[in-house]
Amino acid sequence: MTSFGDLLGPQPVLLPENTDAEDALLQKQDPVQVAAAHPTASIAWAYLAEAALERGAAAGTDVNHDIISAYAFARTGYHRGLDLLRRNGWKGFGPVPWSHEPNQGFLRSVGALAKAARAIGETDEYARCLDLLEDCDPRAAAELGLD
């Protein structure tokens, strides 16, 4: 039985840890340097996207350089996460539990992409991101402030 209660569905994907990148970020190393050293680590791109979203919101304008940067950072983290998910057996659908910390880099990138897409008026992408989060883990959107 999967952790989401679907006996016929795929088993949850539990991504491997990226200890070097995660530890560097926890030690407050510059996420730019972490992303450069670990470009496949979605968590580094998620940190960059979330910081850019915060700066963009603080600027007080609807669309600005930081919002567009957040979109690009989040899309990079999303695609790097998709690559890793597929290498670990994900078929494009099914559980990617929020509770498994190594999955959070991908899920946070999707959440940041949703927020940036909404900020620039890309409503179709925003909806796709929400659908993906719901498919991955119904709790993820709420954890990311997208409820």
Side-chain angles (χ1 to χ4, degrees):
M1 181 168 171
T2 70
S3 64
F4 292 87
D6 184 353
L7 293 172
L8 301 176
Q11 290 296 310
V13 174
L14 304 177
L15 293 175
E17 292 183 14
N18 188 330
T19 308
D20 292 341
E22 293 164 4
D23 287 350
L25 292 165
L26 289 174
Q27 294 170 13
K28 306 285 188 219
Q29 289 184 22
D30 181 357
V32 169
Q33 298 306 314
V34 177
H38 307 281
T40 62
S42 290
I43 191 66
W45 297 105
Y47 266 70
L48 291 169
E50 291 164 351
L53 282 168
E54 285 181 28
R55 288 190 309 273
T61 58
D62 290 339
V63 178
N64 56 51
H65 184 272
D66 286 313
I67 297 297
I68 298 301
S69 294
Y71 186 98
F73 292 142
R75 184 156 295 282
T76 300
Y78 161 77
H79 280 286
R80 291 301 194 150
L82 286 178
D83 293 343
L84 187 57
L85 282 167
R86 289 180 183 126
R87 284 195 303 273
N88 283 276
W90 195 66
K91 304 294 185 206
F93 63 93
V96 181
W98 173 266
S99 60
H100 182 66
E101 193 169 331
N103 290 350
Q104 290 180 15
F106 169 72
L107 296 169
R108 286 171 60 180
S109 291
V110 175
L113 182 58
K115 291 173 184 177
R118 181 176 54 195
I120 65 172
E122 193 178 4
T123 56
D124 289 346
E125 181 70 357
Y126 175 71
R128 279 190 295 275
C129 289
L130 292 182
D131 289 345
L132 177 57
L133 288 170
E134 177 68 23
D135 185 48
C136 288
D137 186 337
R139 293 182 5 203
E143 292 284 346
L144 295 164
L146 288 162
D147 46 333

